[in-house]
Amino acid sequence: MRILAINGSPRKDGNTARLLKEITKDHVDVDLEYFDLNELKIKDCQACYFCKKNDACAIKDDMQRLYKKLREADALVIGSPVFFGVETANVRAFVDRLYALLAFGDGPGKYVPRLNGDKLAISFVTCGNGKGKEVYANIKDRHFAMWANLGFKNVHTYVIGGATPQGNVFELVDAQNMVKECQKILED
């Protein structure tokens, strides 16, 4: 199984990165590609619609590598901290640029995913708010819809609340359960 892991946190060793690395570690016969979005140069979508006519994005930046890796991957595992109620700006730019992976469908507001195969998406956010699951349920729901619309057949989304920078994220029961569940999903 080819896994694309994307850390949306600016912290290379923060809660999000640590969870992402724990989820994807120790898998036999796994081809793992790991990226820290903060190290990449990804420009904002320009809404030029080049991608709708050409099945490619006109912007030549590091996103071109991620398009290729995403097309090749069987699974995407992406995590982001919540900053002021939403994912990081790096994740938002990455997600907005995924618009290139949708073709126009047969009518206004209808799209056809360009990703092939039975891809798996695991998407999670971490936040310091102890009631994050309730407060940020909208992010979980939005991520589910977003990955499904892009053509992912198997989508799992999570919110890990109470993940403060000074704490140990692995002490959180929700984080422990998510890691175990995601590791099992990637093994199957």
Side-chain angles (χ1 to χ4, degrees), residues 82-86 136:
V82 172
F83 290 168
F84 206 64
V86 295
Y136 299 119

Side-chain angles (χ1 to χ4, degrees), residues 6 25-26 38 41 68 87 98 101 106 110 131-132 140 144 146 166-167 180 188:
I6 296 180
K25 75 169 191 168
D26 296 334
N38 205 46
K41 302 240 184 298
K68 182 178 186 305
E87 310 86 346
L98 294 178
L101 299 178
D106 61 349
K110 295 189 177 180
K131 296 186 180 208
K140 182 179 174 181
F144 183 89
M146 177 178 63
Q166 43 297 60
K180 287 177 192 167
D188 292 343

Side-chain angles (χ1 to χ4, degrees), residues 85-86 133-143 159:
V86 295
K133 277 173 102 171
E134 295 83 19
V135 174
Y136 299 119
N138 64 320
I139 295 176
K140 182 179 174 181
D141 294 343
R142 185 168 39 84
H143 279 219
V159 175

Side-chain angles (χ1 to χ4, degrees), residues 4-183:
L4 174 61
I6 296 180
N7 177 22
S9 175
R11 297 183 199 105
K12 284 183 166 184
D13 295 314
N15 290 323
T16 302
R18 291 173 51 223
L19 287 169
L20 193 61
K21 289 173 183 173
E22 188 68 20
I23 289 168
T24 57
K25 75 169 191 168
D26 296 334
H27 290 278
V28 179
D29 300 324
V30 174
D31 183 10
L32 175 66
E33 295 274 354
Y34 184 96
F35 290 92
D36 286 299
L37 286 181
N38 205 46
E39 292 183 352
L40 303 178
K41 302 240 184 298
I42 299 175
K43 296 179 183 176
D44 293 333
C45 176
Q46 299 300 297
C48 65
Y49 294 114
F50 178 89
C51 61
K52 300 305 167 235
K53 298 174 188 158
N54 298 285
D55 191 14
C57 180
I59 302 171
K60 303 302 179 211
D61 60 7
D62 288 335
M63 191 65 190
Q64 296 300 327
R65 272 185 19 211
L66 294 180
Y67 287 135
K68 182 178 186 305
K69 298 295 182 189
L70 191 54
R71 288 180 190 270
E72 293 171 351
D74 301 304
L76 168 69
V77 184
I78 182 170
S80 176
V82 172
F83 290 168
F84 206 64
V86 295
E87 310 86 346
T88 62
N90 290 338
V91 170
R92 288 302 319 145
F94 168 75
V95 167
D96 286 349
R97 291 286 297 283
L98 294 178
Y99 185 59
L101 299 178
L102 294 172
F104 281 139
D106 61 349
K110 295 189 177 180
Y111 297 95
V112 176
R114 289 182 168 144
L115 290 176
N116 297 322
D118 292 331
K119 293 186 184 294
L120 160 70
I122 294 173
S123 179
F124 68 90
V125 295
T126 59
C127 63
N129 187 327
K131 296 186 180 208
K133 277 173 102 171
E134 295 83 19
V135 174
Y136 299 119
N138 64 320
I139 295 176
K140 182 179 174 181
D141 294 343
R142 185 168 39 84
H143 279 219
F144 183 89
M146 177 178 63
W147 300 119
N149 287 336
L150 282 164
F152 286 85
K153 304 294 186 217
N154 191 356
V155 179
H156 301 269
T157 59
Y158 304 88
V159 175
I160 303 300
T164 61
Q166 43 297 60
N168 181 353
V169 72
F170 294 112
E171 292 176 359
L172 300 172
V173 173
D174 285 344
Q176 294 169 14
N177 291 339
M178 179 195 72
V179 167
K180 287 177 192 167
E181 184 176 321
C182 292
Q183 287 173 334

